[in-house]
């Protein structure tokens, strides 16, 4: 009987599900047999991430993927003999470390009952980003988009730096860069030192009159995303504007400092950069390469091998064979042996 694993990537912009054979890639990421996009993100309420909403999004898509991959299987639910059950599930979710108590309480039992899962891993999205980018090697991964978080491990324990949100941290991330660029624009508008006429012109062209920015920005619930939308404008100005160039250099220094805080010492350490922020290119990457070389001469920067969904599949696949080398952690990588399916 075919052994299946399920990976889930739940982020701020949506949720994705992928199914793969547990034995499809013994030394790497299992190759997906199918994947599905669930559209919008999982709700977050007073008790944290809503487990019922996550299950409503995941279970129908998981069953559909199983039915397509294993046609004619019996018993879509529970632990009976079937081609439509999974050995292991890994859910990587944004906010898992701080908002995941309800998920940890509900999901292992639910996946055991509904899919026959014998093992469930609930991971912070930074951990599945790490697994997708570096696999099970020691090193550090910087995930940067609207926010910024660095995660590292020596395969004995996890270390985390930043990821504290746009009010308290995420230093060097998209919202951080965008906010600094808009501050420089408003300084130029006021005639204060430290302003940038180039950034003021871009801000008014993209977002409207400078004096109206606070009134249009502060009431919005998606302020971090709005701030981050200005980061590419800062990057575009960096080639000819010293203020914009300084902002990009400071962002690179912040990102490198977080990477240095989590990267284990040793010749074999690797650093991977993942996330949409790095698509803004050389205005950020050039100073970042210099900063990383200076702060982490022992580490090697490598391309990210895969994304967080690939990381979730890797964790699930390795758990199904009882071969996971990444260290468990109560908040970052919570693993439950449910007994709901075959023993891994």
């Amino acid at each position: 009987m075919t052994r299946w694993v399920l990976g889930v990537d739940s982020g701020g912009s949506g949720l994705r599900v992928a199914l793969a054979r547990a034995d499809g890639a013994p030394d790497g990421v299992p190759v997906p047999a199918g994947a599905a996009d669930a559209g919008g993100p999982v709700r977050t309420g007073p008790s944290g991430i809503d487990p019922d909403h996550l299950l409503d999004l995941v279970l129908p898509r998981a069953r559909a993927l199983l039915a397509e991959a294993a046609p004619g299987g019996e018993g879509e639910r529970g632990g009976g003999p079937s081609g439509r059950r999974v050995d292991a599930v890994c859910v990587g979710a944004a906010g898992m470390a701080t908002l995941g108590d309800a998920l940890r309480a509900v999901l292992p039992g639910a996946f055991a009952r509904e899919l026959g899962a014998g093992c469930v891993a609930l991971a912070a999205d930074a951990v599945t980003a790490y697994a997708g980018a570096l696999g099970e090697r020691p090193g550090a991964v910087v995930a940067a988009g609207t926010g910024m978080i660095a995660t590292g491990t020596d395969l004995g324990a996890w270390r985390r730096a930043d990821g504290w949100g746009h009010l308290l941290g995420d230093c060097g991330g998209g919202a951080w860069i965008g906010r600094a660029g808009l501050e420089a624009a408003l300084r130029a508008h006021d005639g204060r030192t430290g302003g940038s006429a180039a950034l003021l012109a871009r801000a008014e062209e993209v977002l409207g009159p400078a004096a109206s920015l606070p009134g249009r920005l502060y009431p919005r619930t998606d302020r971090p995303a709005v701030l981050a939308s200005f980061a590419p404008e800062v990057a575009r100005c960096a080639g000819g504007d010293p203020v914009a160039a300084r902002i990009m250099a400071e962002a690179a220094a912040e990102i490198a400092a977080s990477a240095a805080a989590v990267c284990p010492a040793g010749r074999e350490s690797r650093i991977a950069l993942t996330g949409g922020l790095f698509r803004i290119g050389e205005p950020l990457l050039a100073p970042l390469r210099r900063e990383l070389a200076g702060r982490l001469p022992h580490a090697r920067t490598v391309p990210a091998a895969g994304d967080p969904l690939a990381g979730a599949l890797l964790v699930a696949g390795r758990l199904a064979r009882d071969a996971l080398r990444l260290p468990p952690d109560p908040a970052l990588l919570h693993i439950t042996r449910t007994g709901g399916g075959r023993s891994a």
Side-chain angles (χ1 to χ4, degrees):
M1 181 164 46
T2 303
R3 303 177 67 187
W4 300 101
V5 295
L6 191 75
V8 179
D9 175 37
S10 174
S13 59
L15 181 144
R16 298 180 298 156
V17 183
L19 180 76
R21 292 172 59 109
D23 57 355
D27 298 319
V29 178
V31 178
D37 192 324
V42 178
R43 290 191 297 263
T44 299
S47 299
I49 304 169
D50 185 339
D52 294 328
H53 188 216
L54 186 144
L55 289 168
D56 287 344
L57 295 176
V58 170
L59 289 176
R61 290 162 177 85
R63 293 190 186 113
L65 291 171
L66 284 164
E68 182 177 352
E74 299 175 355
E76 295 182 6
R77 296 171 181 263
S82 170
R84 294 185 182 177
R85 53 183 288 170
V86 297
D87 275 32
V89 177
C90 176
V91 178
M96 180 72 77
T98 53
L99 300 171
D101 286 348
L103 298 187
R104 288 185 279 269
V106 172
L107 293 191
F111 285 129
R113 289 190 308 273
E114 301 294 331
L115 299 176
C119 188
V120 176
L122 303 178
D125 60 340
V127 168
T128 49
Y130 186 103
L134 290 183
E136 296 178 290
R137 301 179 181 90
V141 171
V142 176
T146 297
M148 196 288 300
I149 185 169
T151 309
T153 183
D154 57 3
L155 303 185
W158 290 100
R159 297 188 68 180
R160 164 192 171 162
D162 214 337
W164 303 122
H166 75 291
L167 293 178
L168 300 177
D170 286 355
C171 298
W176 187 96
I177 293 171
R179 191 215 61 79
L182 291 174
E183 178 190 339
L186 290 173
R187 284 178 174 273
H189 174 268
D190 295 345
R192 290 180 287 149
T193 59
S196 163
L199 289 173
L200 175 60
R202 293 305 303 147
E204 294 199 317
E205 182 172 343
V206 172
L207 298 172
S212 68
L213 281 176
R216 284 184 285 112
L217 178 64
Y218 292 159
R220 296 185 62 148
T221 58
D222 60 344
R223 284 188 302 275
V226 176
L227 291 171
S229 71
F230 194 65
E233 303 299 332
V234 180
R236 290 187 187 101
C237 291
D241 180 68
V243 175
R246 174 183 54 78
I247 291 170
M248 301 308 296
E250 290 176 356
E254 293 286 0
I255 292 169
S258 289
V262 302
C263 189
R267 293 181 184 177
E268 296 185 1
S269 291
R270 294 166 172 81
I271 302 170
L273 310 176
T274 184
L277 181 65
F278 298 114
R279 289 197 290 267
I280 64 178
E282 287 301 296
L284 177 62
L285 293 176
L288 181 55
R289 284 193 292 266
R290 292 193 295 270
E291 290 284 344
L292 289 173
R295 293 173 184 263
L296 292 165
H298 65 279
R300 181 162 59 98
T301 302
V302 299
D307 64 7
L309 185 58
L313 282 176
L314 182 145
V315 170
R318 299 293 281 171
L319 284 173
R321 296 186 297 277
D322 198 21
L324 183 68
R325 296 179 62 207
L326 295 174
D329 180 274
L332 297 176
L333 182 55
H334 181 83
I335 298 169
T336 302
R337 301 282 177 178
T338 67
R342 294 176 294 273
S343 59

